[in-house]
Amino acid sequence: MTFVNAGTLGAAPGRRDELVAHLTRANAALADVGCLAYEVGVNDEEPDTVFVVEIWESAQAHRDSLALPQVQESIAAARPLLSGQFGGFRFDVVGSPLRP
């Protein structure tokens, strides 16, 4: 079942664009493990927040991705760019009007 992880990452003051650049670096390993989409966005009304929507083949694929060395390295490299404020939600997709 398709799984969505959507959330917000608080960026350290003045480091939002650096965090966006980090999060949008190409990472083919994500697709290899089952990531269907990984979208990063900003809203200038929230200058220290980055929005991320991840769509995965399954919740297990998402969990498996967290064990990948490339993902662990990316998380470690992102930590200095984060304020520690996080938000979001996760859910299993049950349908869509865009596909059968």
Side-chain angles (χ1 to χ4, degrees):
M1 181 175 291
T2 306
F3 173 77
V4 174
N5 183 36
T8 57
L9 303 173
R15 301 197 75 184
R16 182 188 77 179
D17 293 344
E18 193 176 350
L19 180 58
V20 167
H22 178 76
L23 294 171
T24 57
R25 285 189 190 127
N27 186 344
L30 293 177
D32 293 343
V33 76
C35 187
L36 304 173
Y38 192 105
E39 304 297 330
V40 177
V42 297
N43 176 342
D44 286 336
E45 293 179 15
E46 298 185 48
D48 293 325
T49 302
V50 176
F51 300 85
V52 179
V53 176
E54 305 170 47
I55 303 175
W56 294 86
E57 291 176 357
S58 66
Q60 185 62 50
H62 177 257
R63 285 190 297 273
D64 291 347
S65 75
L66 298 174
L68 294 173
Q70 304 94 316
V71 172
Q72 288 295 313
E73 291 167 11
S74 180
I75 291 169
R79 279 194 181 103
L81 306 174
L82 298 168
S83 69
Q85 294 187 5
F86 304 97
F89 52 92
R90 298 170 174 197
F91 62 90
D92 292 317
V93 176
V94 296
S96 170
L98 300 177
R99 60 183 186 279

